[in-house]
Structures are given as C-alpha cells and as structure tokens.
Amino acid sequence: MRILVTGGAGFIGSHLCQALLAQGHQVDILDDLSTGSLVNLEGLRGGRSLSLHVGSVNDAPLVEELVSRADYVYHLASAVGVRLIIDQPVRTIESIVGGTTVVLDACNRHRTPFLLTSTSEVYGKGSRVPFCEEDDTVMGPTSTRRWSYACAKALDEFLALAYWVENRLPVTVVRLFNTVGPRQTGQYGMVIPNLVEQALRGEPVTVYGDGTQTRCFTHVSDIVGALLDIPGHPETRGQVINLGNDQEISILGLARRILEITGSPSPLRIIPYDEAYGPGFEDMHRRVPCLEKAARLLGYHPRRGLDDILRDVVEEKRRRLAL
Ligand code: UDP
C-alpha cells in the first residue's frame, strides 16, 4: 500500500514509518519539522519507498495531492508536550484543529481511510481508574492553558467521528497514554527523557509537584504494533480505542528507578508546579488506561514494561550524549 504519515518525522511517527517500510509499504511523510526532525529519520532505510515532504498539514493543496495518492492516512502531526503547549498556545490550537480539518476533508473527498492519534489528555481531570473510552471528559477552565490541548484534541475526535457518522468515511481514533522510547526528546517537557538526561549528566533529577502523581508508560514499539494492525481490522472503524500500558508508577518512584538503572549520583529535586510551569498549573493525579477494548478489537496486549523502556532510553541517551 501507499501510506501517508503526517508527523512522520516525529518520535512516534518515525518508528511507525520504519515499521511500515519493513512491511514493504510505500511511505509518504508530511512533516513541518517543527518538533519532528531529520535526525529521527536517519536510521530509516526506505530508498525509493520513502518520500519526505517538508510542509504543513494546514497547506490544503499539498495535503490534497498527497492524500490523492494514498491508500491509508495516519494523522500524527500535532503540537506535543506540556511545555510546548503552555509556551505556545496559539500554535497548539491552530495546528491541531486546523490541520485535522484539512486532512479529513481531503480523505473524505478521496474516500481514504484515516487514523487519528489522539491522547489520554482528553480525559482531563477525570478521577476514574482506569479511564474507559466512553467515560466523561472533565476539562478545567479556559484560562488554564493546558486544557486547550485536551479540548483541541477532543474536537479532532468529534470531527473524525462526525465524518464516520455522516459520510461513512472509515476513521479510527486512538488515545495514546504516555508513549516513550528512543528518539523522544526531553525538550518539550516529557518526564522520562528529561529525567534520564539529568541522571546521566549528574544534574539534579527534577520531580514536579510532590511526586505522588502516577503515570503508566508505554513502549513505542507496543503502540506501533497496534497502529500497524488497525487497518486490517474493519471493526475498529468509527471507534475510539485506548492504547497504552496499565502498569502504574508514581513520578517519585520513576525518578528513583532511573537513578538505580543509570547508577547516577544525582540528587532528587522536588519542584512545586508553579515553579516548573508558572502559576495556575493543573496536573492529573492518576492516569491509567482501560485496555479491554483494544484487547477485544485488536488482540492488543502491551509486551514491554517500564524497565524495558528505561533500558532502551538510557542506552540511546548514553550514545547521543556520549556519556
Ligand atoms: N514531570 C516531572 N519532572 C519533569 C517533567 C515532568 O516531575 O521534568 C511530571 C509532570 O508534572 C507529570 C508527569 O511527570 O506529573 C508526566 O509528565 P509528562 O509531561 O511527561 O506527561 P503528562 O503530564 O502529559 O502525562
């Protein structure tokens, strides 16, 4: 098949493209290289099967041309990372909602099946454990910038599902939970690459809040496996599906594990949220995915645990930082 991956030069996108090429597909990447980078594509051996188009998902004529040639579209292009979202709220909202509108419109015209990568952020500050796909989303006030990301991604979901209901365009929405692995940068705030780099450099390892908040981290290879399976499962059309890992750890526990695995002498530094993100920041205390639907529709079961993730990230960061 000929497959278009928007955001294909990003962290998850580059792993997806690598796997699609290994399966023998022809891959077009559309990426504006804002948070994605050519470095992510260095190890990809695509030859003539891989084409990189540097441009924006908001560029309707370019999207039209690429979608017209595609048999399937993975739409990953999106602003990403709490740090970036807080610092650049206009870009966050416009690129997410605007880009998805353009790509879906083109897919609808060409009847090209479409997959949207959404996020566990859309559950907002809901307190259910675990989060199931049909649970309410609980957003904070519009004056708190973090929620603009959740709302924008939720609007993308509404739009994709609307195309399915109104036009029977085959769409699938996946909500990714804290995906981690090699090539993820700490630049946009993500905790594991950040803390691993701090530990390897011998700098203080920064835990925000009181460190009792928890997350469930997923190895990027588990996510990519599910993304590859979805086109072959028509029962995923018109569906929203959580993808993640339900092994939960506190951020303080994570920081301690990183210090153990790296053998780092770095001290722990507890930083109040206000100092880390500015006044009025809201965090989620727990975020655990319910994976029953993914198991039922796709036979999805995450294979790699937290230690596998940390080993892979530490090995890659050591190589890059030459430490
Ligand atoms: N976090 C932290 N230190 C950092 C970066 C993040 O303690 O250097 C915390 C952050 O406040 C949150 C958790 O780690 O509670 C996960 O943060 P991340 O930005 O990776 O993902 P998200 O908040 O979107 O789950």
Side-chain angles (χ1 to χ4, degrees):
M1 289 209 292
R2 184 156 188 167
I3 296 178
L4 173 61
V5 181
T6 73
F11 153 57
I12 301 175
S14 65
H15 285 279
L16 173 62
C17 291
Q18 193 168 7
L20 288 167
L21 291 167
Q23 288 193 338
H25 297 293
Q26 181 95 18
V27 176
D28 283 302
I29 292 177
L30 174 59
D31 201 300
D32 66 3
L33 301 182
S34 54
T35 56
S37 98
L38 294 177
V39 175
N40 286 338
L41 302 177
E42 267 168 13
L44 271 67
R45 270 188 291 276
R48 298 208 341 238
S49 301
L50 176 65
S51 311
L52 170 65
H53 309 267
V54 178
S56 164
V57 280
N58 285 295
D59 181 343
L62 176 58
V63 169
E64 166 68 25
E65 187 195 323
L66 295 173
V67 170
S68 73
R69 302 201 292 251
D71 300 306
Y72 195 88
V73 174
Y74 287 99
H75 180 47
L76 277 68
S78 174
V80 71
V82 176
R83 170 67 54 211
L84 180 76
I85 287 147
I86 303 262
D87 291 347
Q88 299 186 23
V90 173
R91 173 172 151 200
T92 297
I93 299 165
E94 289 186 350
S95 68
I96 291 175
V97 181
T100 303
T101 305
V102 169
V103 178
L104 266 168
D105 180 51
C107 286
N108 187 45
R109 241 170 300 110
H110 295 280
R111 307 301 302 162
T112 311
F114 169 96
L115 180 143
L116 171 71
T117 49
S118 185
T119 165
S120 56
E121 282 271 323
V122 300
Y123 291 106
K125 35 185 182 174
S127 54
R128 287 271 302 263
V129 177
F131 284 132
C132 296
E133 289 84 349
E134 296 307 316
D135 285 350
D136 288 343
T137 57
V138 186
M139 302 291 164
T142 52
S143 52
T144 300
R145 275 169 288 172
R146 177 183 195 142
W147 304 117
S148 67
Y149 177 65
C151 278
K153 293 297 275 193
L155 194 58
D156 277 7
E157 292 194 15
F158 276 121
L159 191 63
L161 296 172
Y163 271 102
W164 164 251
V165 171
E166 243 180 85
N167 302 324
R168 277 294 178 256
L169 177 70
V171 305
T172 303
V173 175
V174 293
R175 290 185 181 153
L176 307 184
F177 282 69
N178 293 79
T179 305
V180 194
R183 300 186 199 140
Q184 186 177 42
T185 156
Q187 213 179 335
Y188 308 109
M190 281 85 164
V191 66
I192 289 186
N194 252 330
L195 269 49
V196 167
E197 284 190 19
Q198 291 165 344
L200 291 177
R201 290 197 169 107
E203 295 166 359
V205 165
T206 56
V207 171
Y208 301 159
D210 63 6
T212 61
Q213 73 273 29
T214 70
R215 291 294 186 272
C216 298
F217 296 96
T218 319
H219 197 290
V220 65
S221 63
D222 282 321
I223 298 295
V224 166
L227 295 180
L228 294 176
D229 285 347
I230 284 174
H233 285 80
E235 60 277 28
T236 61
R237 293 176 180 177
Q239 298 293 324
V240 177
I241 305 167
N242 286 340
L243 291 178
N245 188 315
D246 47 15
Q247 192 190 350
E248 191 180 12
I249 187 164
S250 72
I251 299 302
L252 201 53
L254 171 72
R256 292 202 174 108
R257 190 76 192 116
I258 288 173
L259 290 176
E260 265 168 34
I261 287 189
T262 55
S264 167
S266 290
L268 281 176
R269 198 169 146 228
I270 310 277
I271 300 177
Y273 285 123
D274 280 11
E275 205 181 299
Y277 295 113
F281 181 79
E282 291 185 272
D283 203 5
M284 295 84 170
H285 197 63
R286 290 179 77 184
R287 188 197 274 158
V288 183
C290 167
L291 298 173
E292 271 170 31
K293 191 170 181 185
R296 180 163 41 83
L297 296 183
L298 291 167
Y300 171 82
H301 298 283
R303 293 198 163 79
R304 319 276 297 272
L306 181 66
D307 279 0
D308 298 314
I309 293 173
L310 293 180
R311 257 193 306 273
D312 282 1
V313 173
V314 167
E315 189 198 301
E316 194 225 13
K317 297 278 177 218
R318 273 213 169 104
R319 227 178 323 111
R320 281 193 195 279
L321 302 171
L323 290 170

